[in-house]
Amino acid sequence: MSFFIKRVRGTKDVLPPNDKIWSWVESVMKESAAFYGFLNVRTPVIEFTELFKLSSGETSDVVQKEMYTFDDKSGRSISLRPEFTAGVLRAILEDLNNQILPLKLMYFGPCFRYEKPQSGRYREFFQFGIEIFGGNSVNSDIELLFLANYIFKKLGLKNVKLEINAIGCKECHNDYRNLVLDFFNKNLNNLCSVCRARLEKNPLRIFDCKEESCQKICQNAPVTVMNICKECNRDFEEIKNTLTTCGIEYKVNPYIVRGLDYYTKFVFEFIVATQTGNLTVCGGGRYDGLSKFMGGPDLCATGFAIGVERIIEIIKTQKIEISETNSRDLYIACLISEAKIKVTKIISKLREFGIKADINLFEGNVKSQIQFANKAAYKYFLAFGNEEIKNNSCKIKNMSNGEIFEIVSSDDFGDNFIKTCIETVFIYNSVGPGMSS
Ligand code: ATP
Ligand code: MG
């Protein structure tokens, strides 16, 4: 239909039944983080462009190529957030006097990057992420790794691999920078034009280049992990020992430097092997320098971000069964208008007891009603009409095995009737909040 306005390239709609996976993934992530003591934050989708230029760095792919930037009506440059960290830190710095440190935060929401759309890469995508502010010990880094690992386990993901790297602090970088500059200058002719420009401003970023020729050169370059100071080395050893002791497998990958400029000391990625190659589902690390760089106080920080779409695609390809959180309990098809008020009252009473009951939203015969209840996966079905009123009783049908429960009402479908319904149908069959279903 050519007159239709279609959705913007690189965006998607999440409609039923797909939202079932989305809601489940969102709740697993948020509940796991809450279980670990993280509090939720919401920050604006728009920020001043300057914020991302400062935090991500002018030479980052995100700032150079991927940001949605526009001037607002008063001529200020505004960008849609390409990631959360800068905005969350900005928000905390603005409200620092009211915050108790260390602070454990989580977020869930959309980000925007003008990238070439493909599987696992969109122009609007969702991130779930974690930030810890004011935690200077490696316990914070370890907390991140444990939480990410916990979330992936809860989601039932298979083939998840953790890769870690030590990229050094400011002091390590001074010496290392010269080593790297020297090396890349010798290989200048084989670097892509973007990386040649990066050499001046931020040579570390070359490790993040996706060009094959540059990646080849990087394989022989001096790596950070071999050139870090005593303190960075001690911290890295502690992280590795803790992971080993707690049975979390990892690999040191000296080529992870992370896409954004602000990382220091410790970085990591969680990667899932798929049929079409490795997919990075989570990236994070420590960024102690960013607060000062943004004009704030010394505030150490560490965090990670998970790409929600990638997780959902993996759940689908790995055929992971999700637990039903949204299934409905009872569909009551009211067949005569005289019974509508009665049925509405029954439904509102059942809902008070945590039973997910619904009335029919369309008029139609019993056959069409039961067909709908079946398609919408209701567990129980009840047709309510003249018979029910005349006999003061009704028949609730179990949709999966056809079993019928006849409930007689002695109080004109009042409280006693509701109580009997719940006892004989729902509790007996373990339906309702807090009961396994
Ligand atoms: P990549 O190297 O894949 O481009 P990145 O380093 O740009 O990733 P981060 O900025 O670390 O990504 O974002 C954290 C996570 O967000 C990534 O690991 C990925 O799962 C997800 N992500 C990043 N960009 C996109 C996108 N355009 N579409 C969907 N998910 C994305
Ligand atoms: Mg990217």
Side-chain angles (χ1 to χ4, degrees), residues 225-344:
V225 70
M226 304 294 288
N227 294 282
I228 51 175
C229 68
K230 236 178 169 179
E231 197 190 316
C232 283
N233 195 46
R234 186 202 62 204
D235 287 353
F236 195 48
E237 285 303 312
E238 190 176 337
I239 293 172
K240 288 194 290 184
N241 286 339
T242 311
L243 290 172
T244 308
T245 308
C246 298
I248 297 179
E249 283 181 35
Y250 68 88
K251 190 179 114 186
V252 176
N253 176 353
Y255 299 105
I256 302 179
V257 295
R258 309 281 314 120
L260 308 173
D261 261 1
Y262 47 64
Y263 287 100
T264 50
K265 293 185 184 171
F266 176 64
V267 291
F268 62 92
E269 289 184 350
F270 281 87
I271 293 153
V272 177
T274 69
Q275 279 182 338
T276 49
N278 283 342
L279 200 58
T280 305
V281 291
C282 171
R286 185 166 273 280
Y287 53 99
D288 288 347
L290 184 60
S291 169
K292 248 187 143 179
F293 194 59
M294 280 172 38
D298 237 337
L299 180 65
C300 43
T302 175
F304 70 65
I306 296 178
V308 180
E309 283 78 1
R310 294 188 190 179
I311 297 289
I312 285 171
E313 277 162 25
I314 291 164
I315 287 174
K316 286 182 185 164
T317 51
Q318 293 189 348
K319 300 197 167 51
I320 292 167
E321 288 225 359
I322 67 167
S323 39
E324 289 277 349
T325 48
N326 281 333
S327 67
R328 307 299 298 168
D329 297 329
L330 173 68
Y331 183 84
I332 307 186
C334 180
L335 303 175
I336 51 167
S337 51
E338 301 88 289
K340 267 188 194 162
I341 294 177
K342 211 167 269 210
V343 170
T344 306

Side-chain angles (χ1 to χ4, degrees), residues 62 66 83 113 115 120-123 125 127 208 210 258-260 269 280-283 305-307 309-310:
V62 167
E66 299 171 0
E83 52 98 31
R113 295 187 193 176
E115 297 202 71
R121 202 172 285 287
Y122 303 93
R123 289 182 174 170
F125 64 98
Q127 281 191 343
D208 218 32
K210 300 215 163 58
R258 309 281 314 120
L260 308 173
E269 289 184 350
T280 305
V281 291
C282 171
I306 296 178
E309 283 78 1
R310 294 188 190 179

Side-chain angles (χ1 to χ4, degrees), residues 47-55 58 77 79:
E47 298 276 0
F48 289 120
T49 305
E50 220 42 47
L51 177 73
F52 300 117
K53 281 194 177 166
L54 252 180
S55 62
E58 298 257 9
S77 183
S79 293

